[in-house]
Amino acid sequence: LGRLVRKLLRSADAGNGDIVTWQEFVEKLQTEEMEAYLKAFEFDKGQAQEMFYILDTERAGEISMTEFFQSCISLHSPVRLADTALLRQFITHSFNDLTDRLNAMEKSSARAIGQMFATMRSTGFGAPAQEHLPPHPGLR
């Protein structure tokens, strides 16, 4: 495994140390060395691509391969896949619930604003001043 990591690091862009762009990373995913590395940690290519996105916090389109390898090691555990599936399900459910609540709030707000304007119109609130009113006593 150590030899795989060293070989993959050596193949990183020499001009940028161990920094690789998205395109270089995708190319690395096609190599036998990277496939063996991912298999050793029970990752697939899709999960590796998701990890690239997570590690690219500045959205510059590049990551450190050392950081990628360290993340693979720290995330590896027997229950990782089950935990990931449960977390994804929880996030999806939470997002859908939040979307439903926001839509309900939007409809409720629109009704309340409509009722407020209807009340204002029926009471004359906000209507233009009537010209037949006498001038204000302080303005004479």
Side-chain angles (χ1 to χ4, degrees):
L1 193 57
R3 279 182 289 207
L4 283 174
V5 171
R6 282 190 293 281
K7 187 171 183 179
L8 286 165
L9 283 173
R10 277 195 308 270
S11 68
D13 185 359
N16 292 326
D18 77 335
I19 302 297
V20 293
T21 65
W22 170 250
Q23 184 61 41
E24 292 168 333
F25 184 77
V26 170
E27 289 171 11
K28 283 186 183 304
L29 289 178
Q30 306 310 316
T31 65
E32 289 180 24
E33 293 85 8
M34 184 63 100
E35 286 181 18
Y37 184 84
L38 294 175
K39 186 176 180 180
F41 286 98
E42 300 174 1
F43 279 104
D44 62 31
K45 290 178 183 179
Q47 291 168 315
Q49 290 174 336
E50 289 173 9
M51 196 176 318
F52 183 100
Y53 180 78
I54 291 167
L55 294 174
D56 184 16
T57 57
E58 295 176 5
R59 301 299 175 249
E62 58 187 29
I63 63 166
S64 158
M65 286 303 292
T66 301
E67 189 176 6
F68 173 79
F69 295 136
Q70 290 170 343
S71 296
C72 287
I73 293 167
S74 67
L75 290 174
H76 180 69
S77 72
V79 295
R80 181 186 53 79
L81 293 176
D83 289 342
T84 301
L86 290 171
L87 183 59
R88 282 185 182 167
Q89 182 181 13
F90 173 76
I91 290 171
T92 300
H93 175 56
S94 297
F95 180 78
N96 290 338
D97 183 51
L98 180 60
T99 300
D100 292 344
R101 289 174 187 245
L102 288 172
N103 288 336
M105 287 174 55
E106 184 178 8
K107 288 177 185 175
S108 177
S109 297
R111 277 194 306 271
I113 290 170
Q115 290 172 348
M116 180 181 72
F117 281 122
T119 301
M120 290 171 61
R121 280 192 300 276
S122 68
T123 61
F125 183 80
Q130 301 293 323
E131 292 188 26
H132 67 274
L133 294 176
H136 188 277
L139 298 177
R140 290 186 185 174

